[in-house]
Amino acid sequence: MKNLFFALAIFLLATTAYGQGDTSYRANKFNDFKLVPLPAIGSNPANGWLFGVAPSATWRMGDPATTKLSNLVGNILYTTKKQWLISSRSNIFLNEDEWILVGDWRYFITSQPTFGLGSSTPNDPTESPNQPGVYWGEQQMDFSWIRFYETVLKRVGTSKFYLGVGYHLDVYSKIENFVEEELPSEIRFSHDFYNDQLGFDTERYTISGITLNAVMENRDVAVSPYEKNFALISYKINPSFLGSDQSSSSLLLDYRHYFPLNKQRKRHLIGVWGYGNFLVSGNLPYMALPSIGYDMFGRSGRGYAQGRFRGESALYTEAEYRFPLQRNKNTFGGTVFVNAASFSSRIDNEKLLGKINPGYGVGFRVMINEKNRTTISADYAFGQKGNSGFYLNINETF
């Protein structure tokens, strides 16, 4: 009931924001509306091939001269690994960009491998050198996951800065660990060992909290920027009285910058992205720890499967060179990119930046709506120690 109350409170804040921000263009709230109801075919190492529908919509909630494009990406997907992935992620700018509403809702019946904590975990199964009797290397996990994230941000004066509050809820349940081969009875899975050490249940847990957020939104188009920048500082407080299994807090820092290389062809650019995610106080259950590929749209760490690296704190950086493939049109484009990630593990005494895992790759882009920059992206990326993957998605990676 507590979680439901706070979810409803965020909806009320969003409704109030809409009423205050939408003072004009009321006769046509959805200017420049474009819906792409694509049948979805995607791929990544954690899910295999994905099939279903993935509607993508862009529109303006006010005067096009003063209001940025809003966007929503939905998914109803079934994968070759027998997973169901249902989600809706949105970034909505109200009239004259006075308010921003950011939503991330998910219901997954899914699975993915985990390898233990930190940046040094191997691909192949082995016993942890730091924790005798604990399984290291690839371990499969089946689980269900409900997420409700909603944030309301208010612009500060006429600046590009916003302040706001959000409610974030994650519920992991029906968690089951397994490997294909027979394990000695004394060997324990990384997930179960970690949760037992810190007093969390191994089959179900909840993280429920409030975030305090500061944002600088200066991108020209959020789904596929050509220039300028974006920054986020988000401090998350997960008190037990809101439903979290244990009280904790964490800090997320995110910065993105886009450098056009040709004023006449702004699609010719370099984009850079960096973020840090840090456990500040208390403890988080295993699946709620910072992990590769767990940003809002699941795009970080190309070259590795989602969840390949996990730890109490994380640092990530990426640079991508984007370019058009046609002299006078923007339909086809290409990319080359490099990234690097590092994760810490208190339980294995591994420090942040003690080991760095790089990735690199190339990509192909097809812009299916040039006005709103809706793009289909296909990438192939390589990581260390034989890790690699093919990624097929809608819109740019960041």
Side-chain angles (χ1 to χ4, degrees):
M1 289 299 293
K2 293 177 182 177
N3 295 335
L4 178 60
F5 171 79
F6 279 96
L8 290 173
I10 291 296
F11 272 122
L12 288 173
L13 281 172
T15 302
T16 303
Y18 183 86
Q20 293 178 1
D22 187 37
T23 57
S24 63
Y25 283 80
R26 192 168 296 277
N28 184 15
K29 295 174 183 176
F30 294 92
N31 298 286
D32 299 327
F33 181 80
K34 300 292 181 183
L35 174 66
V36 183
L38 284 176
I41 300 176
S43 177
N44 63 61
N47 306 117
W49 284 91
L50 308 92
F51 305 92
V53 293
S56 174
T58 56
W59 70 96
R60 296 185 196 272
M61 300 292 289
D63 185 349
T66 58
T67 307
K68 294 182 184 293
L69 275 174
S70 298
N71 71 284
L72 181 147
V73 177
N75 292 294
I76 302 176
L77 302 170
Y78 185 73
T79 80
T80 52
K81 295 187 178 182
K82 300 181 180 179
Q83 304 159 336
W84 281 100
L85 309 175
I86 303 169
S87 66
S88 170
R89 283 161 281 193
S90 58
N91 203 27
I92 300 172
F93 297 86
L94 300 191
N95 187 41
E96 298 186 349
D97 297 342
E98 284 292 325
W99 296 80
I100 305 176
L101 313 179
V102 182
D104 182 359
W105 308 351
R106 309 182 193 186
Y107 177 61
F108 288 1
I109 302 173
T110 188
S111 61
Q112 67 175 223
T114 187
F115 296 79
L117 300 181
S119 298
S120 302
T121 53
N123 291 331
D124 298 325
T126 184
E127 187 176 6
S128 169
N130 301 314
Q131 300 291 342
V134 179
Y135 200 68
W136 238 26
E138 184 172 354
Q139 309 149 62
Q140 289 295 324
M141 296 181 63
D142 288 348
F143 59 97
S144 295
W145 180 20
I146 296 173
R147 164 171 283 188
F148 176 85
Y149 284 14
E150 194 67 34
T151 301
V152 181
L153 299 158
K154 176 70 171 69
R155 190 167 69 179
V156 179
T158 58
S159 71
K160 301 294 184 180
F161 292 92
Y162 294 79
L163 298 175
V165 63
Y167 174 68
H168 289 191
L169 171 69
D170 288 291
V171 180
Y172 299 89
S173 62
K174 301 179 182 178
I175 303 169
E176 183 180 355
N177 300 268
F178 63 94
V179 292
E180 299 299 331
E181 65 269 20
E182 188 73 22
L183 277 180
S185 59
E186 66 273 12
I187 296 291
R188 306 204 62 202
F189 292 107
S190 296
H191 170 272
D192 293 354
F193 174 77
Y194 172 89
N195 275 17
D196 280 342
Q197 289 289 107
L198 298 179
F200 290 103
D201 192 85
T202 59
E203 296 181 359
R204 177 188 173 92
Y205 37 80
T206 298
I207 307 93
S208 173
I210 292 174
T211 56
L212 306 176
N213 305 277
V215 169
M216 180 185 68
E217 179 53 87
N218 200 28
R219 296 172 291 185
D220 55 342
V221 175
V223 298
S224 180
Y226 284 169
E227 57 186 338
K228 301 183 181 178
N229 50 4
F230 167 87
L232 165 69
I233 301 174
S234 181
Y235 184 63
K236 185 177 180 182
I237 305 164
N238 309 305
S240 57
F241 67 80
L242 283 186
S244 295
D245 289 2
Q246 294 185 26
S247 295
S248 63
S249 65
S250 60
L251 176 67
L252 174 64
L253 308 174
D254 190 321
Y255 183 75
R256 309 174 189 205
H257 206 120
Y258 307 89
F259 301 91
L261 302 179
N262 186 316
K263 292 183 178 180
Q264 284 69 45
R265 297 296 303 277
K266 289 186 177 181
R267 194 179 183 189
H268 190 227
L269 63 93
I270 292 175
V272 294
W273 176 22
Y275 76 78
N277 198 351
F278 311 99
L279 178 62
V280 176
S281 66
N283 297 306
L284 287 170
Y286 189 92
M287 291 298 291
L289 292 170
S291 181
I292 200 79
Y294 270 76
D295 52 285
M296 180 173 173
F297 289 96
R299 303 296 178 86
S300 61
R302 283 174 291 178
Y304 299 95
Q306 185 185 56
R308 174 60 184 86
F309 300 108
R310 190 183 304 272
E312 287 91 355
S313 293
L315 286 173
Y316 180 79
T317 186
E318 181 162 351
E320 184 170 78
Y321 171 45
R322 302 174 187 171
F323 49 90
L325 291 175
Q326 298 162 286
R327 184 181 297 275
N328 298 313
K329 295 182 179 180
N330 285 317
T331 304
F332 300 113
T335 67
V336 294
F337 54 87
V338 294
N339 61 56
S342 181
F343 291 81
S344 68
S345 171
R346 296 176 187 172
I347 209 163
D348 284 317
N349 297 314
E350 183 169 352
K351 303 296 184 182
L352 196 61
L353 298 179
K355 180 175 175 54
I356 297 172
N357 292 288
Y360 63 93
V362 297
F364 179 66
R365 301 289 183 266
V366 180
M367 189 174 290
I368 57 178
N369 185 293
E370 184 170 352
K371 184 177 181 180
N372 292 350
R373 301 186 196 167
T374 304
T375 304
I376 296 175
S377 62
D379 302 308
Y380 201 90
F382 302 87
Q384 286 188 320
K385 299 179 181 179
N387 287 278
S388 64
F390 174 67
Y391 305 80
L392 183 62
N393 289 298
I394 294 178
N395 294 327
E396 293 290 354
T397 300
F398 66 92

